[in-house]
Amino acid sequence: MVWGVLFFALLTLALGNLSSPKRLDVQVGDIAPRSVRAPRPVYNRILTDERRAAAAANVSPVYKRELAVLESAQQHVNWIFTEIRRVRGLTDVDAASRTQDLADRIRLSVLPPETYAALLTVDDALVDAAEAQALALLQTALGEDVYPRDVTRIKGGIESGAAPFTLDLGDPALTQFVRELVKSRIEANMVEDQEQTDWLMQRAAQEVPEVWWQPGELIIEADKPITQDQYEALVELGLVGQQASYFSWAGSALIALVVVGVMALSISRFRPELLERDSKLLLLGLIGFITLFLSLAMSLFSVQLGDGAAYLMPVALNAVLAAILLDSRVALLQSVIIAVLLGLFTTATDVGGVAVAVLGSVAGVYAVARVESRNDLYRAGLVVGIVNALAILALYLLESAPLLDWGVWRDVALGAINGLLVAILATGALPFFETLFGIVTPLKLLELSNPNHPLLKRLMVEAPGSYHHTILVANLCEAAAEAIGADPVLARVGAYYHDIGKIKRPAFFVENQFGGENPHDKLPPSLSAMIITSHVKEGVELAREAGLPQEIIDFIPEHHGTTLVSYFYYMASKSGQSEYVLEEDFRYEGPKPRRRETAICMLADGCEASVRAMRQKSHLSHDQIEQQVRKIINDRLQQGQLDNCDLTLKDLDTIAKVFVKVLSGVHHARIDYPGQQKQAANAGQSQGQEGGSPAPGEAEEAVKHGDLDQQRTGESGPRA
């Protein structure tokens, strides 16, 4: 939490200073005291709105035919002629009244009274013909698309009787009535589709691209009036008004909060152990800030190099250092965040620069996945430089830039130089960080694997049996770690030192007795168990005195976990004071393995000792070795020794197969030459005559291979 607050404050301070340039005391219409260029992309809202409004206004309305117009007109004509027939049937009413009644219902004021009178006196057949021609005339007029602009033309055609609006009634009064009736119902049947029109207008407005001031583009020019859109751009940049500065700092703080939060969540997901060590968090933050400030220093060359300055920013340095010292996934995420921050807060970095930085970081992470010498750092820098150069060239090809332009190849060269710069900086910084923070890197592990290391030399001289066992365990660990995707170098080097505590009392461990006197024969089981388990604590002390990294020290207690020293516990339980025997007094203190590599070491340690003990009794077949290996692994799993590491059942199956393959190669069957068979038979007979109780000096082997049943029956335990 403390480191999170500190990183948040530092990042807010850095981003706030980048985003808060010197402000201007101006208003719209004032003369600009100096020219201002956009430090980053700035949205021009006013000009964008103007262009979009113009585009929307240019959209022609969309019309759709309204069928109800014709239907309504036809229904009206039918109703009119129905009324005419009804009034014609009122024979008991005088003609003048009927004429007036008909005029009131039809309401065509342009018609004279004589026309209404004629409607009452003509033949019924002529009335039917008039109705039919009126409907036909409506069908002709409104059966096609009629826009508002067409209404006057159609009415004029009906009035003049021009084709196709001709009538054949023979009675001028009736003809005039039909024309006026039809004209009264002519209106546009093509009405505006407001919803579709609005959608087209909206789409036309959206298709107008946003107007932005690009980084480096002139927003206001000295001694020129400031327009409304220019003023809004200055406000957005925090260059005018008191609140603008506050908003800028608030935005910087919010971005810093998001960055710190994302990093914290990612670390807790991928490498939760980093949260437990302040030094690791400090190292991660230090690498990030150094990379950020070096990149900002490179951005100062933007005046001379233009956009090419972005390609010199060594963002991949963070990826390379953090991947080697901490974790590749966390390193890649932090590099992406740094690239994005540079794109947001510096004028020298655009989208292309961010893309090149991200691709270079990805290349750097994968290039240092297996670092075995300092020269590998330069190989990683070469990979970063090549990826940068190719990415820059690809960006120019996407823009159809002329390849003969010297600026293109200048930027490509800058990308390649970036890789060389990353290699030089990483080579110089790596030893410093290793020493200052005590970090175990592959390079450091290779140094610790040197057989001339003082502790390994002591182990080889003072406890040669344990040393031989250590070499075999290391081979098993490396092969298994390689198979499941763990760190094979860490697994091998950790295995070299896992039994380093046996230097203190080598004779108390069966692999160093070589058939001599067993000191455990004269000790009570509780004291023997204490001596056996103390090699863990003594090993940790020796490792710390020698300055071994904590990652290596963890192998010493975790390769035993909290397992039981079963042989001495069994012997103590058989004694007369078994009621005072506590199982806790015969267990290792732990902790249980917390990493895959230490868990592999636990399994390899048990399997190697167990199979070696069985091999001394008789030749072993491949099936026997596999059965014993899987028994040991299953025992550790059932005891809960693997609960704190992230090994899956699939991983355990893979580990078992690798162990069997390696152990089968070490303990393969050999030919018994003549004479040796007889010696072996005599040895076996002699052993059977000895009988007796199990050798307590072989307790460590009994613990490792779990062969307690054989010892209970009185067989002599295996010797190294």
Side-chain angles (χ1 to χ4, degrees):
M1 177 63 72
V2 175
W3 289 112
V5 173
L6 177 61
F7 292 150
F8 166 75
L10 292 176
L11 190 56
T12 300
L13 183 63
L15 299 181
N17 285 324
L18 288 174
S19 62
S20 298
K22 185 178 179 181
R23 292 180 290 146
L24 299 171
D25 185 14
V26 294
Q27 297 293 333
V28 176
D30 291 349
I31 302 300
R34 60 182 174 88
S35 297
V36 174
R37 296 184 179 275
R40 56 182 173 81
V42 183
Y43 179 50
N44 191 331
R45 181 188 61 82
I46 293 179
L47 187 55
T48 300
D49 290 346
E50 290 178 355
R51 293 183 179 180
R52 288 180 172 176
N58 289 332
V59 173
S60 300
V62 178
Y63 289 90
K64 61 181 178 179
R65 179 181 288 191
E66 189 63 61
L67 299 177
V69 174
L70 177 58
E71 294 175 358
S72 176
Q74 290 173 337
Q75 291 174 2
H76 180 74
V77 169
N78 289 333
W79 177 79
I80 290 294
F81 278 94
T82 299
E83 288 299 310
I84 291 173
R85 293 186 181 93
R86 186 186 63 80
V87 174
R88 283 167 60 90
L90 299 176
T91 55
D92 56 342
V93 181
D94 62 275
S97 298
R98 288 189 297 162
T99 301
Q100 186 60 44
D101 184 18
L102 189 59
D104 292 339
R105 291 183 177 277
I106 295 177
R107 295 182 180 178
L108 292 175
S109 59
V110 297
L111 294 177
E114 292 79 7
T115 301
Y116 293 110
L119 291 173
L120 297 176
T121 58
V122 297
D123 295 338
D124 290 339
L126 197 54
V127 172
D128 293 341
E131 181 180 10
Q133 292 196 30
L135 293 175
L137 196 57
L138 280 175
Q139 182 64 42
T140 301
L142 298 179
E144 61 182 12
D145 295 342
V146 179
Y147 293 91
R149 62 180 181 272
D150 299 328
V151 172
T152 302
R153 176 182 59 80
I154 293 174
K155 286 184 177 181
I158 294 173
E159 177 68 28
S160 63
F165 307 114
T166 57
L167 292 173
D168 185 17
L169 292 175
D171 188 313
L174 197 56
T175 298
Q176 183 182 10
F177 168 73
V178 171
R179 286 175 177 167
E180 293 299 332
L181 176 60
V182 173
K183 283 170 55 180
S184 68
R185 304 306 301 180
I186 297 300
E187 59 180 301
N189 61 11
M190 297 300 293
V191 297
E192 183 176 346
D193 187 342
Q194 193 61 48
E195 181 179 354
Q196 184 69 11
T197 301
D198 291 343
W199 180 82
L200 289 176
M201 294 176 67
Q202 183 180 6
R203 189 179 70 172
Q206 291 175 347
E207 289 177 351
V208 175
E210 295 179 343
V211 180
W212 290 75
W213 278 287
Q214 297 303 320
E217 186 176 352
L218 197 64
I219 296 180
I220 61 173
E221 188 176 355
D223 302 326
K224 295 291 182 65
I226 298 175
T227 60
Q228 180 66 39
D229 58 333
Q230 292 171 336
Y231 181 80
E232 288 191 3
L234 296 177
V235 171
E236 184 176 345
L237 290 171
L239 295 176
V240 293
Q242 294 182 350
Q243 291 185 345
S245 178
Y246 302 150
F247 289 150
S248 177
W249 280 97
S252 300
L254 184 59
I255 291 179
L257 180 62
V258 171
V259 168
V260 173
V262 169
M263 288 298 300
L265 290 175
S266 301
I267 292 173
S268 64
R269 171 66 178 86
F270 298 128
R271 289 293 300 273
E273 64 271 17
L274 295 182
L275 298 176
E276 301 174 1
R277 299 183 180 179
D278 293 343
S279 61
K280 296 290 185 67
L281 293 178
L282 177 59
L283 175 60
L284 181 62
L286 185 60
I287 293 173
F289 279 106
I290 288 177
T291 303
L292 181 62
F293 292 136
L294 285 176
S295 299
L296 292 176
M298 293 299 172
S299 69
L300 298 177
F301 294 100
S302 59
V303 177
Q304 295 82 8
L305 299 177
D307 293 340
Y311 304 135
L312 272 181
M313 295 182 177
V315 178
L317 175 65
N318 176 88
V320 170
L321 289 178
I324 294 176
L325 296 170
L326 298 169
D327 180 78
S328 58
R329 289 167 293 187
V330 175
L332 184 57
L333 175 61
Q334 183 164 276
S335 296
V336 172
I337 290 176
I338 292 174
V340 172
L341 292 178
L342 291 171
L344 290 175
F345 290 93
T346 65
T347 58
T349 309
D350 57 6
V351 176
V354 173
V356 171
V358 171
L359 292 176
S361 298
V362 173
V365 167
Y366 284 99
V368 298
R370 294 293 298 270
V371 176
E372 298 180 354
S373 67
R374 302 289 175 182
N375 290 334
D376 289 338
L377 292 176
Y378 287 97
R379 177 180 57 83
L382 177 62
V383 172
V384 172
I386 293 174
V387 170
N388 286 346
L390 293 176
I392 295 169
L393 182 60
L395 290 174
Y396 277 112
L397 291 176
L398 289 174
E399 297 175 357
S400 300
L403 294 182
L404 296 180
D405 186 355
W406 75 273
V408 173
W409 298 105
R410 179 205 63 185
D411 291 349
V412 170
L414 290 176
I417 293 173
N418 186 329
L420 177 61
L421 181 63
V422 167
I424 294 174
L425 293 174
T427 303
L430 197 57
F432 171 76
F433 286 131
E434 287 177 346
T435 303
L436 183 62
F437 292 93
I439 300 297
V440 178
T441 66
L443 301 177
K444 182 68 174 179
L445 291 175
L446 291 174
E447 295 174 359
L448 293 175
S449 66
N450 191 332
N452 290 321
H453 190 281
L455 283 181
L456 295 182
K457 289 188 69 175
R458 286 188 61 189
L459 183 66
M460 179 173 59
V461 173
E462 299 176 26
S466 298
Y467 179 80
H468 175 70
H469 161 72
T470 292
I471 297 301
L472 294 178
V473 171
N475 292 336
L476 291 171
C477 288
E478 182 179 34
E482 184 82 35
I484 68 170
D487 189 339
V489 181
L490 177 62
R492 167 176 280 277
V493 178
Y496 283 154
Y497 294 90
H498 80 281
D499 271 346
I500 205 70
K502 292 182 180 180
I503 294 176
K504 292 285 188 178
R505 300 179 182 88
F508 283 87
F509 298 92
V510 66
E511 67 266 25
N512 299 312
Q513 292 171 3
F514 307 110
E517 181 182 0
N518 193 331
H520 290 284
D521 294 338
K522 302 177 181 180
L523 299 176
S526 59
L527 182 57
S528 292
M530 184 180 67
I531 292 174
I532 292 297
T533 57
S534 66
H535 85 278
V536 169
K537 183 180 298 183
E538 292 166 348
V540 171
E541 293 174 355
L542 286 172
R544 287 178 176 166
E545 290 174 2
L548 295 185
Q550 185 61 42
E551 284 82 353
I552 301 299
I553 296 176
D554 289 341
F555 278 79
I556 300 174
E558 292 183 17
H559 88 276
H560 280 299
T562 58
T563 54
L564 181 69
V565 187
S566 55
Y567 173 76
F568 291 117
Y569 175 69
Y570 171 73
M571 296 299 296
S573 299
K574 289 175 58 179
S575 66
Q577 298 180 341
S578 59
E579 64 273 12
Y580 300 106
V581 176
L582 299 178
E583 185 175 301
E584 290 76 11
D585 296 336
F586 291 84
R587 283 193 178 276
Y588 287 95
E589 297 181 1
K592 298 177 181 178
R594 292 169 293 183
R595 300 174 61 109
R596 293 190 294 175
E597 291 79 9
T598 56
I600 293 173
C601 185
M602 167 184 277
L603 301 177
D605 183 64
C607 291
E608 193 283 324
S610 174
V611 172
R612 175 161 47 87
M614 294 174 62
R615 174 69 177 84
Q616 291 174 345
K617 298 176 183 178
S618 63
H619 294 310
L620 298 179
S621 66
H622 181 278
D623 292 340
Q624 289 176 313
I625 293 176
E626 181 174 9
Q627 181 180 4
Q628 187 65 15
V629 166
R630 293 192 179 275
K631 176 180 180 296
I632 295 297
I633 293 177
N634 186 63
D635 286 345
R636 297 296 186 269
L637 182 63
Q638 296 298 325
Q639 294 170 16
Q641 297 299 320
L642 306 179
D643 290 348
N644 297 338
C645 62
D646 58 352
L647 286 177
T648 65
L649 293 178
K650 181 179 179 181
D651 292 337
L652 293 178
D653 181 66
T654 302
I655 291 171
K657 292 177 181 178
V658 172
F659 283 179
V660 171
K661 180 179 179 180
V662 175
L663 291 172
S664 296
V666 174
H667 300 289
H668 61 275
R670 293 176 174 84
I671 298 175
D672 289 333
Y673 292 95
Q676 291 181 336
Q677 297 176 355
K678 182 177 181 180
Q679 293 175 3
N682 294 334
Q685 182 178 1
S686 175
Q687 182 179 3
Q689 293 173 352
E690 290 177 5
S693 61
E698 295 155 5
E700 179 69 4
E701 294 297 335
V703 173
K704 288 179 179 177
H705 70 76
D707 201 13
L708 190 58
D709 293 336
Q710 293 181 353
Q711 297 195 19
R712 288 175 180 172
T713 61
E715 295 181 14
S716 179
R719 293 186 178 275

